[in-house]
Amino acid sequence: MESSYRYGIVHVSKMTLLMYRKGGTGIENRWYNEYNIEKRGGRFPWKGTLLVERDSSHGKGNVPVERATSPRKDTMEKYKRVFVIVLDSMGVGAMPDSERYGDVGVDTFGHIVETCGGLEIPNLRKLGLANLHPTKEIAPVDAPLAKYMKISEASNGKDTMTGHWEMMGIKTEKPFVTFTETGFPPELIAELEKRCGKRVIGNKSSSGTAILDELAEEEINTGAMIVYTSADSVLQICGNEETFDLENLYRCCEIAREITMRDEWRVGRVIARPYVGKKKGEFKRTSNRHDYAVPPTGRTALNELKDNGFDVISVGKIQDIFCGEGITKAYHSNSSVHGMEQTIEICKEDFHGLCFTNLVDFDALWGHRRNPQGYGEEIQKFDQKLGEFMAQMREDDLVIITADHGNDPTYTGTDHTREYVPFLAYSPSMNQGGSLPDETTFAVIGATIADNFGLSMPQGTIGHSILNAL
C-alpha cells in the first residue's frame, strides 16, 4: 500500500492493532492508529512509524481526520544548493544522428570561436570548456576545475522544451509539429481570426525583426494581427504595446494556445511578442514576452523536489517551459545578463534546493539570426558574470553549466541544430576536476540532483545519477 505525503512516497508495510488514547482535557476520545512505514529508493532510505488520528465518534473505525506528515530524515546531502545554468542553444558539435535532422557538420561553439578568432572566456576556460571542446583558438588548461563531458539528447527533437524536459527526466518520442514550410493551415487561421476579432497577416516563417520591418506598420494602421512561425514548433503573435494593448495580446495568445492543443496543430509554444515603435527601423521587441507552453507530459525531478519541501527557483523562461510545474519561486529576466545578475543575487541568499536558470539571448538574439559575432560577445558577457557568480559560491554549492540544443549561427537557415551539449559541474568543495565519460541523455542532470537530495526520480522518467562522480 502506498500513500503520498508532503515528503514523498512512503510505503505502508504493516498496520498494527495498537491504538493510543491521549490524556488531557478535551482530547480523551482521540485515537491513533500506528503504521510501520518505509521510504524506499534514493540515497537515504529510512524506516519509522506514523500515527494517524482517528475519529471514533462516528463509529466508522478507520476514518483519518487529520493526515499526519511523515518526517523526512535529515539527509547528509553532498550539496545543499544546486544551480543549473542553461546557455540556451550553445551546442558543442554534431550528434551522430544530426544528418537525420538536416544538420551536417554543425558545431555552435566551435564555429563561433573560429569565426571570432577566439574568445576571452577565462572562467569557462579554467572550468574546462576548452578541454571539453578543443579549438585552435583557445588552449585547454592543465588542471580544469570542473568535471566535464558531452551529453547527447535521447529524445526525438532539437527544441527548447524537449531539451529542458529531458534534463528533468522526460523523454519525448514524438517531436512537436512545425509549420516552417507552409505556414499555419487556413482552418486554424480562420478560427483564430474569429475568436480574436482580428485579421491575421503574415502567417509564414520569419525572424522576429524581419516580420516587424515588413508588417508592423500595417498592423498599427489597420488593427490586424501579425502571426508567424519559425523553424521551431511555435506560433508567435506580435502586438504593438500602444495600439494593440498588452492584455489584449495575451488574450489572443491564450486563444491560440487553446486552438493549438489539437493533435494536428499541436505546437510546443505560443509566444506573445510585444514591441514598441511607430515606423520601420524603430521597431524593438520588449521584455514583456510571454510563453504559453504545452505542460510537461509527466512528472519531473522538479515535482519531486517541490513535493518534498525543497526550494525550486526558476530564472528566465524556465517557469514558462514547465508551465510552473514543480516551481516554488520564479524570476522573469529581461536579458541573459540580467538572468545572471538575478542568479548571483539568489546565490547570496539562503535556500535549500535547486536554482534553474535559462539564458535565452544566445539563441533568440544570435543563433536564430545567424550572428556568430554577436553570439561570441554574449558568451564573453556570460563569462564575466560567471566569475562574479563563482566568487559567491559556498563550499556546499554545485553549479552545472549546460545547454538544451544547438543553434549554429554559421549554418544555413534559422533552425536549431542537433548537437551534443556541454556539461560542466563545479563546486568549491571539489578536490579536482577532469573529464567524465560522455552520457547519452540530458536526464543525468535531473537524476543527479534528485539523488543528491535523497529522492527517487518519478516513475516513467529516464536518466541515472552520476553524483558519485562529482
Side-chain angles (χ1 to χ4, degrees):
M1 167 178 171
E2 276 189 358
S3 298
S4 293
Y5 297 92
R6 180 185 175 196
Y7 292 115
I9 302 296
V10 297
H11 299 262
V12 182
S13 57
K14 178 183 179 182
M15 183 181 77
T16 73
L17 297 177
L18 296 175
M19 302 170 101
Y20 295 81
R21 183 192 299 273
K22 284 205 171 182
T25 304
I27 57 172
E28 290 84 358
N29 292 325
R30 297 196 179 212
W31 296 81
Y32 296 79
N33 282 347
E34 181 180 17
Y35 295 82
N36 293 327
I37 60 174
E38 178 182 5
K39 177 184 178 295
R40 301 169 184 168
R43 296 178 63 236
F44 302 100
W46 54 267
K47 296 180 180 180
T49 60
L50 178 69
L51 298 181
V52 179
E53 186 177 344
R54 289 180 48 190
D55 185 354
S56 59
S57 63
H58 299 291
K60 295 182 180 178
N62 293 323
V63 181
V65 296
E66 180 181 347
R67 186 168 64 180
T69 300
S70 59
R72 180 172 56 85
K73 177 182 171 65
D74 289 331
T75 58
M76 296 294 291
E77 299 132 349
K78 194 169 186 178
Y79 304 107
K80 179 184 177 184
R81 309 190 303 176
V82 179
F83 296 81
V84 175
I85 301 176
V86 180
L87 310 186
D88 200 305
S89 84
M90 204 188 81
V92 287
M95 283 177 51
D97 64 354
S98 65
E99 290 189 24
R100 185 162 63 89
Y101 292 81
D103 304 325
V104 180
V106 291
D107 184 354
T108 299
F109 178 72
H111 289 157
I112 290 168
V113 172
E114 182 181 11
T115 302
C116 295
L119 296 174
E120 291 296 324
I121 49 172
N123 295 300
L124 283 168
R125 182 169 172 264
K126 69 183 181 182
L127 288 180
L129 181 57
N131 299 68
L132 183 158
H133 188 305
T135 66
K136 291 186 296 184
E137 295 80 7
I138 304 176
V141 295
D142 293 332
L145 298 179
K147 301 293 180 104
Y148 64 86
M149 63 181 174
K150 295 179 182 179
I151 48 180
S152 56
E153 189 166 14
S155 298
N156 291 314
K158 53 178 179 177
D159 61 87
T160 295
M161 289 170 55
T162 300
H164 283 80
W165 289 2
E166 183 170 318
M167 288 181 206
M168 295 299 128
I170 293 178
K171 181 179 180 180
T172 301
E173 299 286 358
K174 183 179 179 181
F176 291 105
V177 63
T178 60
F179 296 94
T180 310
E181 302 298 328
T182 61
F184 299 104
E187 297 83 2
L188 187 159
I189 295 298
E191 183 171 348
L192 188 62
E193 289 180 327
K194 180 180 178 181
R195 294 182 60 182
C196 293
K198 284 183 171 288
R199 179 174 62 91
V200 167
I201 56 177
N203 190 24
K204 62 182 179 180
S205 178
S206 176
S207 75
T209 51
I211 203 77
L212 290 180
D213 283 342
E214 179 185 352
L215 295 174
E217 288 184 10
E218 180 181 349
E219 178 183 84
I220 292 170
N221 293 331
T222 67
M225 178 170 70
I226 299 173
V227 174
Y228 72 108
T229 188
S230 69
D232 292 336
S233 178
V234 64
L235 184 153
Q236 303 181 86
I237 302 179
C238 297
N240 186 281
E241 291 197 358
E242 294 181 8
T243 60
F244 197 116
D245 181 66
L246 200 56
E247 291 305 316
N248 193 31
L249 174 61
Y250 293 158
R251 179 188 69 87
C252 293
C253 287
E254 289 168 2
I255 292 170
R257 176 69 282 173
E258 181 182 335
I259 293 171
T260 55
M261 289 303 291
R262 301 178 190 176
D263 285 344
E264 66 270 27
W265 300 340
R266 192 169 181 260
V267 295
R269 286 177 293 162
V270 171
I271 305 178
R273 292 287 196 179
Y275 67 94
V276 294
K278 296 182 178 179
K279 62 182 181 180
K280 184 177 180 179
E282 295 180 353
F283 298 122
K284 184 178 180 181
R285 296 196 297 198
T286 74
S287 62
N288 291 318
R289 161 185 170 158
H290 189 71
D291 291 40
Y292 301 82
V294 174
T297 54
R299 288 175 59 82
T300 71
L302 304 184
N303 298 107
E304 288 301 303
L305 289 166
K306 179 180 178 180
D307 290 353
N308 282 275
F310 294 100
D311 297 306
V312 183
I313 303 168
S314 73
V315 178
K317 64 180 185 178
I318 298 296
Q319 166 85 354
D320 292 331
I321 292 169
F322 289 90
C323 292
E325 289 288 322
I327 307 296
T328 61
K329 190 173 185 179
Y331 292 87
H332 169 74
S333 302
N334 297 327
S335 66
S336 288
V337 170
H338 182 220
M340 274 306 294
E341 290 171 346
Q342 291 171 307
T343 305
I344 292 166
E345 289 303 309
I346 293 167
C347 190
K348 296 176 183 178
E349 301 172 0
D350 285 326
F351 72 91
H352 187 195
L354 171 66
C355 176
F356 196 0
T357 297
N358 173 277
L359 306 177
V360 71
D361 287 352
F362 299 92
D363 186 54
L365 296 185
W366 315 118
H368 286 300
R369 298 181 187 181
R370 294 303 189 249
N371 186 334
Q373 289 81 11
Y375 206 134
E377 291 171 5
E378 196 72 50
I379 296 173
Q380 292 179 150
K381 291 177 186 177
F382 166 74
D383 189 85
Q384 184 178 11
K385 292 298 178 185
L386 176 61
E388 297 175 26
F389 170 81
M390 291 172 64
Q392 297 295 330
M393 290 182 70
R394 304 171 186 176
E395 282 294 307
D396 55 357
D397 286 345
L398 173 71
V399 63
I400 297 171
I401 300 170
T402 188
D404 52 343
H405 51 73
N407 199 349
D408 189 336
T410 69
Y411 198 59
T412 183
T414 62
D415 194 4
H416 294 156
T417 45
R418 176 87 166 175
E419 298 185 42
Y420 292 106
V421 302
F423 177 97
L424 296 164
Y426 166 73
S427 172
S429 63
M430 283 183 177
N431 293 324
Q432 63 180 12
S435 64
L436 300 173
D438 292 347
E439 291 285 352
T440 57
T441 173
F442 299 174
V444 295
I445 295 173
T448 299
I449 295 168
D451 189 19
N452 178 72
F453 293 110
L455 304 175
S456 298
M457 288 290 283
Q459 186 175 4
T461 54
I462 62 171
H464 62 274
S465 173
I466 57 168
L467 185 63
N468 290 337
L470 306 182

